[in-house]
Amino acid sequence: QKEVEQNSGPLSVPEGAIASLNCTYSDRVSQSFFWYRQYSGKSPELIMSIYSNGDKEDGRFTAQLNKASQYVSLLIRDSQPSDSATYLCAVNRSNYQLIWGAGTKLIIKP
Amino acid sequence: DTAVSQTPKYLVTQMGNDKSIKCEQNLGHDTMYWYKQDSKKFLKIMFSYNNKELIINETVPNRFSPKSPDKAHLNLHINSLELGDSAVYFCASRRDSHRETQYFGPGTRLLVL
């Protein structure tokens, strides 16, 4: 079992709809969870971080964390073509190291 | 001002050559990383240095040798380049806390012919 798992996609969502991206992790002691966005040919950039169970909202983005079920998700409301990218889930292993999922490719269709 | 910078951005070279990639961060972070991202986009950690000390050394061929002259710089030297080394290499840095995010450089696109 991989430490951090994501569906590789591609996930195709119509413009204006909600895109839902999921990530599961295996290490129960993980404390911090991150969503990064990576456009083709660019470096990953942080979208959201979440540390406590529940929802965290930032504009059109909502991160959801459920430590009991060991999953973290990212919702993107009112999806735009500019949201088309690969979304990477990362989970801390220690103060120094993040464990990365393989990423989900999201395609927003106009 | 670029927070994490890498040079060069593109590197095309022949098999068997030796090459170096340089990374610098001006964020005052204590920890720096080298990642390899292959064509399938998986980010694989290679090395990490904390205050010039090697703290993460994943299963990487010993042809790859990192060097950190100070905590703002982390370089990567690759000997005897092979076709399979072709990838994008990202440098990143981070403060020492589980809550802190990693900031990435723009990447170095290495193509070995």
Side-chain angles (χ1 to χ4, degrees), chain A residues 29-46:
Chain A
V29 302
S30 295
Q31 298 171 284
S32 305
F33 308 86
F34 305 88
W35 282 101
Y36 284 75
R37 177 177 63 199
Q38 187 176 22
Y39 292 116
S40 181
K42 301 293 185 182
S43 55
E45 57 178 338
L46 181 70

Side-chain angles (χ1 to χ4, degrees), chain A residues 32 36 38 41 51 96 100, chain B residues 33 37 98-99 101-102 109:
Chain A
S32 305
Y36 284 75
Q38 187 176 22
Y51 313 113
Y96 302 114
W100 296 83
Chain B
Y33 307 82
Q37 189 174 48
H98 70 85
R99 290 192 166 215
T101 186
Q102 288 184 8
R109 284 145 188 82

Side-chain angles (χ1 to χ4, degrees), chain A residues 10-38:
Chain A
L11 175 64
S12 184
V13 173
E15 184 176 357
I18 296 175
S20 177
L21 303 161
N22 299 310
C23 171
T24 59
Y25 60 95
S26 60
D27 190 348
R28 287 192 170 274
V29 302
S30 295
Q31 298 171 284
S32 305
F33 308 86
F34 305 88
W35 282 101
Y36 284 75
R37 177 177 63 199
Q38 187 176 22

Side-chain angles (χ1 to χ4, degrees), chain A residues 31-32 34 36 38 40-44 46 49 51-52 86 88 92-98 100-102, chain B residues 31 33 35 37 41-43 45 50 55-56 58 90 94 96-102 104-106 109:
Chain A
Q31 298 171 284
S32 305
F34 305 88
Y36 284 75
Q38 187 176 22
S40 181
K42 301 293 185 182
S43 55
L46 181 70
S49 58
Y51 313 113
S52 305
T86 295
L88 300 165
N92 84 294
R93 174 184 277 175
S94 67
N95 281 349
Y96 302 114
Q97 189 172 3
L98 294 180
W100 296 83
Chain B
T31 303
Y33 307 82
Y35 286 93
Q37 189 174 48
K41 302 297 184 185
F42 184 67
L43 264 178
I45 182 75
N50 176 263
I55 57 170
I56 296 173
E58 293 293 309
F90 286 106
R94 185 186 190 206
D96 294 344
S97 165
H98 70 85
R99 290 192 166 215
E100 293 294 327
T101 186
Q102 288 184 8
F104 285 82
R109 284 145 188 82

Side-chain angles (χ1 to χ4, degrees), chain A:
Chain A
Q1 182 189 6
K2 293 179 183 175
E3 291 188 70
V4 177
E5 294 210 52
Q6 295 181 254
N7 188 321
S8 61
L11 175 64
S12 184
V13 173
E15 184 176 357
I18 296 175
S20 177
L21 303 161
N22 299 310
C23 171
T24 59
Y25 60 95
S26 60
D27 190 348
R28 287 192 170 274
V29 302
S30 295
Q31 298 171 284
S32 305
F33 308 86
F34 305 88
W35 282 101
Y36 284 75
R37 177 177 63 199
Q38 187 176 22
Y39 292 116
S40 181
K42 301 293 185 182
S43 55
E45 57 178 338
L46 181 70
I47 298 295
M48 293 281 289
S49 58
I50 186 166
Y51 313 113
S52 305
N53 278 329
D55 294 359
K56 179 181 177 183
E57 189 173 316
D58 184 2
R60 296 187 296 111
F61 298 95
T62 299
Q64 299 175 318
L65 175 60
N66 184 323
K67 289 186 178 181
S69 301
Q70 294 175 242
Y71 82 78
V72 56
S73 61
L74 179 70
L75 301 178
I76 306 174
R77 289 182 300 281
D78 187 24
S79 296
Q80 304 295 311
S82 60
D83 295 326
S84 297
T86 295
Y87 288 81
L88 300 165
C89 173
V91 176
N92 84 294
R93 174 184 277 175
S94 67
N95 281 349
Y96 302 114
Q97 189 172 3
L98 294 180
I99 306 301
W100 296 83
T104 298
K105 184 173 183 178
L106 176 66
I107 298 172
I108 306 300
K109 292 192 170 180

